[in-house]
C-alpha cells in the first residue's frame, strides 16, 4: 500500500509523470502483498489513485475541456453489451441534467487484455470516462459535491459503478495483478499522465470475493488489513441517516442513501463514510481522525486539546476498529494513519528533492541512501 508524493502537491509545477511511474514501480515491488487464484493471472485487485492528469485529458478527450478543476472525470464500469451500454448512457445523460451539471462527452478507455486470465476477462466491464462540468466558478471540491450526488443517483438508478468521478482525482483499477495494471491500461505510461501524488495498492481480500469494483484504491483511500467492527459501523451509519443533513450538497441528502452500499467490502464502506464526512465540510485528515481515533481514553500524556478532539467526536462517530494501516488523499494532500493499536506498520522516506514515499514495508523504491534526508515509521502515542 505505497503512497508516493512530491512535498508540495498543490503547487502548479508539481505534477510530473515520474510520480506515476514510481507509483507503478512501487506497486510491482509489492506483488507478494496481493492475492491470486489457482490461475496466477487472476489477481485479487490492483490500482492507482492520482490527480487528474489535465494535459493528458486535453489531448485524449475528443472535445474541448474547460480550465483545470472546472471539469470532472469519471471512470465508469459500463455494461459490456452495446445496447445496454447505450441505454445506460441515455439514462445517465438525463440524470446529469437533473443534477444541474452539463455533459461534455464520453471517452472510451483503451485496454489491452492479452495477459488477463479468463476469470478476470469474463467479469471485466467496459471502461469509459465521463466528462461533466458545472456552473460558473464551480470547481474543485465544490464541483465534487455535485458529482457525488450525480454518482449516487447513477449508482442507485442505473446500476453503473464509478471507480471515481471527481474534479480532483481519478482511479485506474481492476481485478488485476500488480503487473497487469499498467498492461491493461497502457495510457498510464503516457508522458502526459502527470500527477504530484500517487496512491497504489495490491489487494488481498479478507471478507469479500474478488471483483473489479472492490479493487483498491477507492475514491479517497486504501488500506492494508481489515476493519473488524464493520458490521456495527454500517448499522450505526444506517441508523443515523434520518438525522443527517448538510447544506454542502445540492438537493435532499436522503436521496443519496444508503451511505454504505450493500455488498461492499469493509474498505468500500469506510471510503464511502470518509467521502461523506469530507465533502460535508471537514478536511480529509479530520474525517480520518474522527473515524479511526487513537486510543485516547487511558492516555494521560496526550495533549489536552487533542484529547478533547477525540472525546467530542466519540459522541458523533464510533471507531472503525481493526488492524488496518490507512492511506488517503483528496488530490490536494496525501497522508497515512495507523490503526488504533498500531498493529499494521508504516514506513516513510523523504529525499532532498522533495520526494516523499510511504509504504507498509521497506524497499518499495530504489532510493539512494545519500539522497534521503528523513526516514522513520509511524507510531501510536
Amino acid at each position: 500500500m505505497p503512497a508516493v508524493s512530491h512535498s508540495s502537491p498543490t503547487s502548479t509545477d508539481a505534477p510530473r509523470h515520474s510520480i506515476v511511474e514510481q507509483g507503478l514501480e512501487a506497486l510491482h515491488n509489492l506483488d507478494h502483498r496481493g492475492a491470486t487464484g489457482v490461475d496466477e493471472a487472476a489477481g485479487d485487485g490492483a490500482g492507482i489513485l492520482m490527480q487528474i492528469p489535465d494535459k493528458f485529458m486535453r489531448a485524449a478527450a475528443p472535445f474541448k475541456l474547460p480550465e483545470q478543476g472546472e471539469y470532472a472525470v469519471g471512470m465508469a464500469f459500463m455494461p459490456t453489451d452495446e445496447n445496454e451500454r447505450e441505454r445506460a448512457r441515455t439514462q445517465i445523460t438525463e440524470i446529469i441534467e437533473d443534477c444541474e451539471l452539463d455533459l461534455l462527452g464520453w471517452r472510451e478507455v483503451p485496454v489491452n487484455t492479452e495477459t488477463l486470465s479468463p476469470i478476470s476477462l469474463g467479469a471485466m466491464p467496459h471502461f469509459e470516462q465521463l466528462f461533466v462540468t458545472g456552473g460558473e466558478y464551480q470547481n474543485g471540491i465544490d464541483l465534487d459535491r455535485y458529482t457525488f450526488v450525480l454518482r449516487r443517483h447513477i449508482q442507485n438508478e442505473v446500476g453503473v459503478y464509478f471507480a471515481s468521478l471527481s474534479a480532483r482525482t481519478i482511479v485506474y483499477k481492476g481485478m488485476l495483478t500488480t503487473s497487469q495494471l499498467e498492461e491493461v491500461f497502457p495510457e498510464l505510461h503516457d508522458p502526459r499522465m502527470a500527477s504530484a501524488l500517487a496512491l497504489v495498492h495490491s489487494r488481498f481480500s479478507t471478507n469479500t470475493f474478488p471483483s473489479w469494483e472492490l479493487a483498491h484504491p477507492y475514491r479517497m483511500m486504501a488500506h492494508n488489513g481489515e476493519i473488524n467492527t464493520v458490521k456495527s459501523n454500517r448499522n450505526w451509519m444506517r441508523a443515523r441517516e434520518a438525522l443527517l443533513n448538510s447544506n454542502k450538497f445540492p438537493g435532499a441528502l436522503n436521496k443519496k442513501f444508503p451511505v454504505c452500499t450493500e455488498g461492499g467490502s469493509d474498505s468500500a464502506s469506510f471510503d464511502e463514510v470518509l467521502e461523506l464526512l469530507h465533502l460535508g465540510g471537514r478536511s480529509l485528515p479530520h474525517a480520518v481522525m474522527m473515524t479511526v481515533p487513537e486510543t485516547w481514553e487511558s492516555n494521560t500524556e496526550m495533549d489536552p486539546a487533542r484529547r478533547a478532539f477525540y472525546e467530542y467526536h466519540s459522541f458523533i462517530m464510533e471507531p472503525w476498529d481493526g488492524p488496518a494501516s490507512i492511506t488517503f488523499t483528496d488530490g490536494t494532500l496525501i497522508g497515512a494513519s495507523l490503526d488504533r493499536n498500531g498493529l499494521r506498520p508504516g514506513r516513510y522516506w523523504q529525499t532532498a528533492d522533495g520526494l516523499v514515499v510511504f509504504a507498509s514495508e521497506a524497499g518499495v523504491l530504489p532510493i539512494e541512501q545519500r539522497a534521503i534526508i528523513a526516514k522513520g515509521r509511524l507510531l501510536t502515542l
Side-chain angles (χ1 to χ4, degrees), residues 62 154 163 237 288 307 327 354:
I154 294 173
M237 286 305 301
V288 171
R307 182 183 178 85
T327 50

Side-chain angles (χ1 to χ4, degrees), residues 72-74 92 96 103 105-106 128-132 150 154 162 165:
V73 185
I92 290 171
I96 290 171
L103 172 65
W106 293 84
E128 292 190 20
Q129 288 173 344
L130 169 68
F131 292 76
V132 297
L150 171 63
I154 294 173
F162 278 82
L165 179 50

